[in-house]
mmCIF file of all heavy atoms in Angstrom:
data_model
loop_
_atom_site.group_PDB
_atom_site.id
_atom_site.type_symbol
_atom_site.label_atom_id
_atom_site.label_comp_id
_atom_site.label_asym_id
_atom_site.label_seq_id
_atom_site.Cartn_x
_atom_site.Cartn_y
_atom_site.Cartn_z
ATOM 1 N N ALA A 114 4.266 -0.529 -18.296
ATOM 2 C CA ALA A 114 4.659 -0.716 -16.911
ATOM 3 C C ALA A 114 5.356 0.485 -16.342
ATOM 4 O O ALA A 114 6.238 1.122 -16.993
ATOM 5 C CB ALA A 114 5.533 -1.981 -16.741
ATOM 6 N N GLU A 115 5.090 0.857 -15.071
ATOM 7 C CA GLU A 115 5.726 1.931 -14.404
ATOM 8 C C GLU A 115 6.110 1.501 -12.997
ATOM 9 O O GLU A 115 5.259 1.141 -12.243
ATOM 10 C CB GLU A 115 4.717 3.150 -14.341
ATOM 11 C CG GLU A 115 5.234 4.355 -13.655
ATOM 12 C CD GLU A 115 4.151 5.430 -13.628
ATOM 13 O OE1 GLU A 115 3.509 5.668 -14.700
ATOM 14 O OE2 GLU A 115 3.983 6.071 -12.541
ATOM 15 N N LEU A 116 7.371 1.480 -12.713
ATOM 16 C CA LEU A 116 7.903 0.893 -11.500
ATOM 17 C C LEU A 116 8.326 2.045 -10.501
ATOM 18 O O LEU A 116 8.938 3.005 -10.909
ATOM 19 C CB LEU A 116 9.079 0.003 -11.697
ATOM 20 C CG LEU A 116 8.788 -1.470 -11.996
ATOM 21 C CD1 LEU A 116 7.912 -1.605 -13.262
ATOM 22 C CD2 LEU A 116 10.095 -2.266 -12.162
ATOM 23 N N HIS A 117 7.926 1.849 -9.233
ATOM 24 C CA HIS A 117 8.320 2.787 -8.167
ATOM 25 C C HIS A 117 8.911 1.943 -7.068
ATOM 26 O O HIS A 117 8.277 0.969 -6.610
ATOM 27 C CB HIS A 117 7.118 3.618 -7.658
ATOM 28 C CG HIS A 117 6.518 4.544 -8.703
ATOM 29 N ND1 HIS A 117 6.871 5.891 -8.838
ATOM 30 C CD2 HIS A 117 5.614 4.297 -9.697
ATOM 31 C CE1 HIS A 117 6.188 6.391 -9.796
ATOM 32 N NE2 HIS A 117 5.427 5.442 -10.357
ATOM 33 N N TYR A 118 10.043 2.361 -6.569
ATOM 34 C CA TYR A 118 10.649 1.639 -5.369
ATOM 35 C C TYR A 118 10.519 2.492 -4.159
ATOM 36 O O TYR A 118 11.336 3.321 -3.831
ATOM 37 C CB TYR A 118 12.140 1.353 -5.748
ATOM 38 C CG TYR A 118 12.267 0.475 -6.929
ATOM 39 C CD1 TYR A 118 12.766 1.018 -8.165
ATOM 40 C CD2 TYR A 118 11.963 -0.845 -6.937
ATOM 41 C CE1 TYR A 118 12.875 0.258 -9.281
ATOM 42 C CE2 TYR A 118 12.079 -1.671 -8.040
ATOM 43 C CZ TYR A 118 12.525 -1.087 -9.241
ATOM 44 O OH TYR A 118 12.687 -1.862 -10.342
ATOM 45 N N CYS A 119 9.443 2.253 -3.448
ATOM 46 C CA CYS A 119 9.149 3.049 -2.247
ATOM 47 C C CYS A 119 8.055 2.285 -1.458
ATOM 48 O O CYS A 119 7.517 1.302 -1.913
ATOM 49 C CB CYS A 119 8.660 4.444 -2.605
ATOM 50 S SG CYS A 119 7.145 4.540 -3.497
ATOM 51 N N ASP A 120 7.778 2.797 -0.293
ATOM 52 C CA ASP A 120 6.730 2.237 0.557
ATOM 53 C C ASP A 120 5.395 2.406 -0.128
ATOM 54 O O ASP A 120 5.039 3.497 -0.553
ATOM 55 C CB ASP A 120 6.765 2.879 1.895
ATOM 56 C CG ASP A 120 5.659 2.342 2.830
ATOM 57 O OD1 ASP A 120 5.796 1.272 3.303
ATOM 58 O OD2 ASP A 120 4.690 3.167 3.029
ATOM 59 N N GLY A 121 4.601 1.289 -0.149
ATOM 60 C CA GLY A 121 3.330 1.353 -0.873
ATOM 61 C C GLY A 121 2.361 2.340 -0.245
ATOM 62 O O GLY A 121 1.608 3.007 -0.913
ATOM 63 N N ARG A 122 2.391 2.437 1.053
ATOM 64 C CA ARG A 122 1.454 3.364 1.736
ATOM 65 C C ARG A 122 1.843 4.810 1.406
ATOM 66 O O ARG A 122 0.994 5.670 1.151
ATOM 67 C CB ARG A 122 1.474 3.156 3.217
ATOM 68 C CG ARG A 122 0.575 4.148 3.979
ATOM 69 C CD ARG A 122 0.129 3.530 5.311
ATOM 70 N NE ARG A 122 -0.603 4.534 6.127
ATOM 71 C CZ ARG A 122 -1.333 4.260 7.172
ATOM 72 N NH1 ARG A 122 -1.461 3.024 7.548
ATOM 73 N NH2 ARG A 122 -2.002 5.220 7.800
ATOM 74 N N ALA A 123 3.183 5.057 1.421
ATOM 75 C CA ALA A 123 3.618 6.435 1.105
ATOM 76 C C ALA A 123 3.198 6.790 -0.301
ATOM 77 O O ALA A 123 2.797 7.968 -0.587
ATOM 78 C CB ALA A 123 5.112 6.560 1.299
ATOM 79 N N PHE A 124 3.273 5.864 -1.232
ATOM 80 C CA PHE A 124 2.876 6.149 -2.602
ATOM 81 C C PHE A 124 1.416 6.494 -2.621
ATOM 82 O O PHE A 124 0.969 7.494 -3.325
ATOM 83 C CB PHE A 124 3.155 4.915 -3.509
ATOM 84 C CG PHE A 124 2.747 5.144 -4.938
ATOM 85 C CD1 PHE A 124 3.580 5.714 -5.849
ATOM 86 C CD2 PHE A 124 1.516 4.766 -5.358
ATOM 87 C CE1 PHE A 124 3.186 5.959 -7.169
ATOM 88 C CE2 PHE A 124 1.060 4.981 -6.676
ATOM 89 C CZ PHE A 124 1.949 5.577 -7.581
ATOM 90 N N VAL A 125 0.579 5.725 -2.010
ATOM 91 C CA VAL A 125 -0.893 5.969 -2.026
ATOM 92 C C VAL A 125 -1.184 7.322 -1.372
ATOM 93 O O VAL A 125 -2.129 8.002 -1.816
ATOM 94 C CB VAL A 125 -1.651 4.798 -1.343
ATOM 95 C CG1 VAL A 125 -3.099 5.140 -1.176
ATOM 96 C CG2 VAL A 125 -1.494 3.503 -2.117
ATOM 97 N N GLU A 126 -0.493 7.648 -0.321
ATOM 98 C CA GLU A 126 -0.739 8.904 0.383
ATOM 99 C C GLU A 126 -0.445 10.105 -0.503
ATOM 100 O O GLU A 126 -1.109 11.169 -0.310
ATOM 101 C CB GLU A 126 0.074 8.982 1.673
ATOM 102 C CG GLU A 126 -0.387 8.069 2.762
ATOM 103 C CD GLU A 126 0.481 8.127 4.022
ATOM 104 O OE1 GLU A 126 1.750 8.438 3.845
ATOM 105 O OE2 GLU A 126 0.028 7.938 5.111
ATOM 106 N N THR A 127 0.561 9.959 -1.361
ATOM 107 C CA THR A 127 1.032 11.168 -2.068
ATOM 108 C C THR A 127 0.576 11.279 -3.549
ATOM 109 O O THR A 127 0.636 12.358 -4.097
ATOM 110 C CB THR A 127 2.542 11.214 -2.001
ATOM 111 O OG1 THR A 127 3.116 10.033 -2.574
ATOM 112 C CG2 THR A 127 3.081 11.336 -0.623
ATOM 113 N N THR A 128 0.159 10.172 -4.139
ATOM 114 C CA THR A 128 -0.214 10.234 -5.540
ATOM 115 C C THR A 128 -1.585 10.865 -5.703
ATOM 116 O O THR A 128 -2.464 10.749 -4.847
ATOM 117 C CB THR A 128 -0.265 8.813 -6.207
ATOM 118 O OG1 THR A 128 -0.486 8.976 -7.619
ATOM 119 C CG2 THR A 128 -1.334 7.934 -5.564
ATOM 120 N N ASP A 129 -1.785 11.505 -6.838
ATOM 121 C CA ASP A 129 -3.157 12.030 -7.243
ATOM 122 C C ASP A 129 -3.759 11.191 -8.261
ATOM 123 O O ASP A 129 -4.886 11.508 -8.702
ATOM 124 C CB ASP A 129 -2.968 13.462 -7.772
ATOM 125 C CG ASP A 129 -2.586 14.450 -6.710
ATOM 126 O OD1 ASP A 129 -2.933 14.276 -5.547
ATOM 127 O OD2 ASP A 129 -1.730 15.367 -7.040
ATOM 128 N N ASP A 130 -3.100 10.097 -8.713
ATOM 129 C CA ASP A 130 -3.613 9.230 -9.747
ATOM 130 C C ASP A 130 -4.824 8.401 -9.278
ATOM 131 O O ASP A 130 -4.934 8.061 -8.088
ATOM 132 C CB ASP A 130 -2.551 8.314 -10.266
ATOM 133 C CG ASP A 130 -1.394 9.067 -10.902
ATOM 134 O OD1 ASP A 130 -1.655 10.235 -11.309
ATOM 135 O OD2 ASP A 130 -0.261 8.509 -11.002
ATOM 136 N N LEU A 131 -5.661 8.069 -10.227
ATOM 137 C CA LEU A 131 -6.811 7.182 -9.961
ATOM 138 C C LEU A 131 -6.689 5.895 -10.725
ATOM 139 O O LEU A 131 -6.125 5.895 -11.823
ATOM 140 C CB LEU A 131 -8.141 7.879 -10.313
ATOM 141 C CG LEU A 131 -8.478 9.142 -9.592
ATOM 142 C CD1 LEU A 131 -9.732 9.785 -10.084
ATOM 143 C CD2 LEU A 131 -8.574 8.932 -8.057
ATOM 144 N N PHE A 132 -7.247 4.836 -10.108
ATOM 145 C CA PHE A 132 -7.046 3.502 -10.739
ATOM 146 C C PHE A 132 -8.344 2.749 -10.803
ATOM 147 O O PHE A 132 -9.237 2.914 -9.976
ATOM 148 C CB PHE A 132 -5.987 2.682 -9.943
ATOM 149 C CG PHE A 132 -4.613 3.367 -9.932
ATOM 150 C CD1 PHE A 132 -4.355 4.189 -8.820
ATOM 151 C CD2 PHE A 132 -3.734 3.140 -10.869
ATOM 152 C CE1 PHE A 132 -3.086 4.787 -8.777
ATOM 153 C CE2 PHE A 132 -2.463 3.714 -10.877
ATOM 154 C CZ PHE A 132 -2.129 4.551 -9.796
ATOM 155 N N ASP A 133 -8.456 1.874 -11.810
ATOM 156 C CA ASP A 133 -9.653 1.030 -11.931
ATOM 157 C C ASP A 133 -9.564 -0.162 -10.938
ATOM 158 O O ASP A 133 -10.591 -0.602 -10.414
ATOM 159 C CB ASP A 133 -9.760 0.503 -13.332
ATOM 160 C CG ASP A 133 -9.898 1.698 -14.351
ATOM 161 O OD1 ASP A 133 -10.833 2.445 -14.162
ATOM 162 O OD2 ASP A 133 -9.097 1.732 -15.224
ATOM 163 N N VAL A 134 -8.344 -0.700 -10.843
ATOM 164 C CA VAL A 134 -8.157 -1.888 -9.970
ATOM 165 C C VAL A 134 -6.888 -1.637 -9.177
ATOM 166 O O VAL A 134 -5.906 -1.191 -9.716
ATOM 167 C CB VAL A 134 -8.057 -3.168 -10.791
ATOM 168 C CG1 VAL A 134 -7.669 -4.353 -9.880
ATOM 169 C CG2 VAL A 134 -9.362 -3.502 -11.531
ATOM 170 N N VAL A 135 -6.920 -1.959 -7.850
ATOM 171 C CA VAL A 135 -5.737 -1.913 -7.029
ATOM 172 C C VAL A 135 -5.523 -3.322 -6.493
ATOM 173 O O VAL A 135 -6.479 -3.946 -5.949
ATOM 174 C CB VAL A 135 -5.906 -0.957 -5.805
ATOM 175 C CG1 VAL A 135 -4.664 -0.999 -4.918
ATOM 176 C CG2 VAL A 135 -6.072 0.470 -6.385
ATOM 177 N N ILE A 136 -4.315 -3.892 -6.683
ATOM 178 C CA ILE A 136 -3.965 -5.225 -6.237
ATOM 179 C C ILE A 136 -2.892 -5.085 -5.185
ATOM 180 O O ILE A 136 -1.827 -4.548 -5.450
ATOM 181 C CB ILE A 136 -3.425 -6.056 -7.390
ATOM 182 C CG1 ILE A 136 -4.550 -6.181 -8.479
ATOM 183 C CG2 ILE A 136 -3.053 -7.488 -6.913
ATOM 184 C CD1 ILE A 136 -4.037 -6.796 -9.813
ATOM 185 N N ILE A 137 -3.134 -5.601 -3.951
ATOM 186 C CA ILE A 137 -2.217 -5.523 -2.866
ATOM 187 C C ILE A 137 -1.637 -6.856 -2.602
ATOM 188 O O ILE A 137 -2.348 -7.774 -2.134
ATOM 189 C CB ILE A 137 -2.883 -4.939 -1.619
ATOM 190 C CG1 ILE A 137 -3.519 -3.503 -1.962
ATOM 191 C CG2 ILE A 137 -1.927 -4.800 -0.483
ATOM 192 C CD1 ILE A 137 -4.431 -2.967 -0.832
ATOM 193 N N ASP A 138 -0.381 -7.018 -2.920
ATOM 194 C CA ASP A 138 0.320 -8.324 -2.862
ATOM 195 C C ASP A 138 1.561 -8.198 -2.040
ATOM 196 O O ASP A 138 2.678 -8.350 -2.523
ATOM 197 C CB ASP A 138 0.629 -8.763 -4.281
ATOM 198 C CG ASP A 138 1.210 -10.196 -4.349
ATOM 199 O OD1 ASP A 138 1.001 -10.967 -3.384
ATOM 200 O OD2 ASP A 138 1.949 -10.515 -5.354
ATOM 201 N N VAL A 139 1.368 -7.898 -0.714
ATOM 202 C CA VAL A 139 2.517 -7.680 0.101
ATOM 203 C C VAL A 139 2.665 -8.865 1.051
ATOM 204 O O VAL A 139 1.722 -9.691 1.160
ATOM 205 C CB VAL A 139 2.418 -6.378 0.919
ATOM 206 C CG1 VAL A 139 2.435 -5.166 -0.008
ATOM 207 C CG2 VAL A 139 1.106 -6.343 1.778
ATOM 208 N N VAL A 140 3.773 -8.960 1.778
ATOM 209 C CA VAL A 140 4.008 -10.077 2.652
ATOM 210 C C VAL A 140 2.919 -10.159 3.729
ATOM 211 O O VAL A 140 2.360 -9.166 4.141
ATOM 212 C CB VAL A 140 5.394 -9.951 3.322
ATOM 213 C CG1 VAL A 140 6.471 -10.103 2.274
ATOM 214 C CG2 VAL A 140 5.555 -8.652 4.104
ATOM 215 N N ASP A 141 2.647 -11.374 4.153
ATOM 216 C CA ASP A 141 1.573 -11.585 5.147
ATOM 217 C C ASP A 141 2.136 -11.409 6.538
ATOM 218 O O ASP A 141 2.802 -12.226 7.078
ATOM 219 C CB ASP A 141 0.985 -13.007 5.007
ATOM 220 C CG ASP A 141 1.975 -14.097 4.855
ATOM 221 O OD1 ASP A 141 2.863 -13.958 3.951
ATOM 222 O OD2 ASP A 141 1.974 -15.090 5.594
ATOM 223 N N MET A 142 1.930 -10.187 7.101
ATOM 224 C CA MET A 142 2.528 -9.832 8.397
ATOM 225 C C MET A 142 1.492 -9.123 9.222
ATOM 226 O O MET A 142 1.196 -7.955 9.068
ATOM 227 C CB MET A 142 3.736 -8.908 8.204
ATOM 228 C CG MET A 142 4.498 -8.675 9.482
ATOM 229 S SD MET A 142 5.880 -7.551 9.187
ATOM 230 C CE MET A 142 6.984 -8.558 8.135
ATOM 231 N N LEU A 143 0.925 -9.884 10.167
ATOM 232 C CA LEU A 143 -0.023 -9.323 11.133
ATOM 233 C C LEU A 143 0.568 -9.428 12.584
ATOM 234 O O LEU A 143 -0.164 -9.618 13.537
ATOM 235 C CB LEU A 143 -1.416 -9.921 11.118
ATOM 236 C CG LEU A 143 -2.170 -9.710 9.809
ATOM 237 C CD1 LEU A 143 -3.625 -10.244 9.938
ATOM 238 C CD2 LEU A 143 -2.192 -8.227 9.423
ATOM 239 N N ASP A 144 1.931 -9.353 12.683
ATOM 240 C CA ASP A 144 2.519 -9.491 13.961
ATOM 241 C C ASP A 144 2.976 -8.145 14.510
ATOM 242 O O ASP A 144 3.975 -7.990 15.283
ATOM 243 C CB ASP A 144 3.796 -10.377 13.852
ATOM 244 C CG ASP A 144 4.783 -9.933 12.822
ATOM 245 O OD1 ASP A 144 4.496 -8.874 12.154
ATOM 246 O OD2 ASP A 144 5.811 -10.565 12.666
ATOM 247 N N ASN A 145 2.231 -7.070 14.032
ATOM 248 C CA ASN A 145 2.535 -5.732 14.483
ATOM 249 C C ASN A 145 3.882 -5.248 14.010
ATOM 250 O O ASN A 145 4.484 -4.362 14.652
ATOM 251 C CB ASN A 145 2.404 -5.580 16.000
ATOM 252 C CG ASN A 145 1.038 -6.068 16.473
ATOM 253 O OD1 ASN A 145 -0.031 -5.632 16.061
ATOM 254 N ND2 ASN A 145 1.010 -7.078 17.422
ATOM 255 N N GLY A 146 4.329 -5.854 12.905
ATOM 256 C CA GLY A 146 5.603 -5.413 12.287
ATOM 257 C C GLY A 146 5.424 -4.297 11.228
ATOM 258 O O GLY A 146 4.319 -3.737 11.107
ATOM 259 N N PRO A 147 6.503 -3.983 10.475
ATOM 260 C CA PRO A 147 6.427 -2.826 9.587
ATOM 261 C C PRO A 147 5.443 -2.931 8.452
ATOM 262 O O PRO A 147 5.036 -1.949 7.935
ATOM 263 C CB PRO A 147 7.919 -2.714 9.108
ATOM 264 C CG PRO A 147 8.485 -4.049 9.288
ATOM 265 C CD PRO A 147 7.809 -4.592 10.549
ATOM 266 N N ALA A 148 5.124 -4.122 8.029
ATOM 267 C CA ALA A 148 4.163 -4.296 6.886
ATOM 268 C C ALA A 148 2.708 -4.210 7.353
ATOM 269 O O ALA A 148 1.822 -4.095 6.504
ATOM 270 C CB ALA A 148 4.382 -5.618 6.188
ATOM 271 N N GLN A 149 2.437 -4.136 8.643
ATOM 272 C CA GLN A 149 1.074 -4.165 9.080
ATOM 273 C C GLN A 149 0.354 -2.901 8.695
ATOM 274 O O GLN A 149 -0.904 -2.877 8.571
ATOM 275 C CB GLN A 149 0.977 -4.397 10.566
ATOM 276 C CG GLN A 149 -0.467 -4.630 11.064
ATOM 277 C CD GLN A 149 -0.542 -5.301 12.375
ATOM 278 O OE1 GLN A 149 0.197 -6.269 12.648
ATOM 279 N NE2 GLN A 149 -1.392 -4.879 13.281
ATOM 280 N N HIS A 150 1.107 -1.812 8.484
ATOM 281 C CA HIS A 150 0.450 -0.555 8.133
ATOM 282 C C HIS A 150 -0.204 -0.560 6.707
ATOM 283 O O HIS A 150 -0.903 0.304 6.271
ATOM 284 C CB HIS A 150 1.378 0.656 8.237
ATOM 285 C CG HIS A 150 2.390 0.686 7.151
ATOM 286 N ND1 HIS A 150 3.321 -0.320 6.966
ATOM 287 C CD2 HIS A 150 2.718 1.665 6.273
ATOM 288 C CE1 HIS A 150 4.173 0.039 5.929
ATOM 289 N NE2 HIS A 150 3.775 1.218 5.472
ATOM 290 N N LEU A 151 0.057 -1.694 5.951
ATOM 291 C CA LEU A 151 -0.594 -1.921 4.689
ATOM 292 C C LEU A 151 -1.808 -2.809 4.800
ATOM 293 O O LEU A 151 -2.372 -3.217 3.773
ATOM 294 C CB LEU A 151 0.414 -2.599 3.696
ATOM 295 C CG LEU A 151 1.618 -1.731 3.357
ATOM 296 C CD1 LEU A 151 2.676 -2.516 2.601
ATOM 297 C CD2 LEU A 151 1.224 -0.474 2.543
ATOM 298 N N TYR A 152 -2.245 -3.070 5.980
ATOM 299 C CA TYR A 152 -3.433 -3.851 6.222
ATOM 300 C C TYR A 152 -4.485 -3.159 7.050
ATOM 301 O O TYR A 152 -5.490 -3.736 7.430
ATOM 302 C CB TYR A 152 -3.090 -5.183 7.010
ATOM 303 C CG TYR A 152 -2.363 -6.231 6.185
ATOM 304 C CD1 TYR A 152 -0.980 -6.392 6.156
ATOM 305 C CD2 TYR A 152 -3.122 -7.096 5.399
ATOM 306 C CE1 TYR A 152 -0.314 -7.309 5.459
ATOM 307 C CE2 TYR A 152 -2.459 -8.063 4.638
ATOM 308 C CZ TYR A 152 -1.052 -8.196 4.664
ATOM 309 O OH TYR A 152 -0.436 -9.183 4.005
ATOM 310 N N THR A 153 -4.296 -1.879 7.363
ATOM 311 C CA THR A 153 -5.195 -1.226 8.320
ATOM 312 C C THR A 153 -6.389 -0.484 7.616
ATOM 313 O O THR A 153 -6.350 -0.231 6.412
ATOM 314 C CB THR A 153 -4.427 -0.201 9.164
ATOM 315 O OG1 THR A 153 -3.939 0.855 8.261
ATOM 316 C CG2 THR A 153 -3.246 -0.825 9.868
ATOM 317 N N ARG A 154 -7.379 -0.149 8.475
ATOM 318 C CA ARG A 154 -8.528 0.551 7.993
ATOM 319 C C ARG A 154 -8.148 1.874 7.385
ATOM 320 O O ARG A 154 -8.680 2.278 6.309
ATOM 321 C CB ARG A 154 -9.518 0.786 9.146
ATOM 322 C CG ARG A 154 -10.758 1.623 8.770
ATOM 323 C CD ARG A 154 -11.568 1.892 9.988
ATOM 324 N NE ARG A 154 -10.882 2.573 11.090
ATOM 325 C CZ ARG A 154 -10.643 3.885 11.066
ATOM 326 N NH1 ARG A 154 -11.071 4.706 10.109
ATOM 327 N NH2 ARG A 154 -9.991 4.422 12.085
ATOM 328 N N GLU A 155 -7.211 2.583 7.979
ATOM 329 C CA GLU A 155 -6.792 3.866 7.503
ATOM 330 C C GLU A 155 -6.123 3.757 6.112
ATOM 331 O O GLU A 155 -6.371 4.568 5.223
ATOM 332 C CB GLU A 155 -5.831 4.549 8.490
ATOM 333 C CG GLU A 155 -6.474 4.960 9.773
ATOM 334 C CD GLU A 155 -6.503 3.892 10.829
ATOM 335 O OE1 GLU A 155 -6.255 2.663 10.453
ATOM 336 O OE2 GLU A 155 -6.901 4.084 11.961
ATOM 337 N N PHE A 156 -5.362 2.730 5.916
ATOM 338 C CA PHE A 156 -4.724 2.495 4.605
ATOM 339 C C PHE A 156 -5.786 2.191 3.525
ATOM 340 O O PHE A 156 -5.770 2.704 2.444
ATOM 341 C CB PHE A 156 -3.685 1.424 4.669
ATOM 342 C CG PHE A 156 -3.097 0.989 3.362
ATOM 343 C CD1 PHE A 156 -2.390 1.926 2.607
ATOM 344 C CD2 PHE A 156 -3.313 -0.229 2.797
ATOM 345 C CE1 PHE A 156 -1.862 1.566 1.363
ATOM 346 C CE2 PHE A 156 -2.825 -0.592 1.577
ATOM 347 C CZ PHE A 156 -2.096 0.328 0.840
ATOM 348 N N TYR A 157 -6.682 1.318 3.867
ATOM 349 C CA TYR A 157 -7.733 0.920 2.912
ATOM 350 C C TYR A 157 -8.626 2.167 2.518
ATOM 351 O O TYR A 157 -9.088 2.257 1.439
ATOM 352 C CB TYR A 157 -8.595 -0.244 3.431
ATOM 353 C CG TYR A 157 -7.820 -1.507 3.570
ATOM 354 C CD1 TYR A 157 -8.107 -2.390 4.613
ATOM 355 C CD2 TYR A 157 -6.887 -1.899 2.621
ATOM 356 C CE1 TYR A 157 -7.373 -3.588 4.702
ATOM 357 C CE2 TYR A 157 -6.203 -3.082 2.712
ATOM 358 C CZ TYR A 157 -6.433 -3.942 3.806
ATOM 359 O OH TYR A 157 -5.785 -5.118 3.877
#
């Protein structure tokens, strides 16, 4: 296990690592709040 305490999108933007499976288990927020940037086309 390797733990990082940071914004998930910032991690994905900056890492060079590749993964076999990505699991996105963040809060369900589609009210245009701060977590919505983890649900967008650009993030995916």
Side-chain angles (χ1 to χ4, degrees):
E115 181 181 315
L116 273 58
H117 295 264
Y118 300 106
C119 64
D120 177 73
R122 177 156 174 164
F124 179 87
V125 172
E126 286 177 332
T127 56
T128 186
D129 293 325
D130 296 338
L131 298 177
F132 299 93
D133 300 304
V134 175
V135 176
I136 301 169
I137 304 173
D138 185 23
V139 297
V140 294
D141 44 309
M142 187 182 292
L143 294 188
D144 57 359
N145 306 306
Q149 189 160 318
H150 73 301
L151 296 171
Y152 286 97
T153 66
R154 175 184 58 80
E155 292 84 353
F156 174 63
Y157 293 142

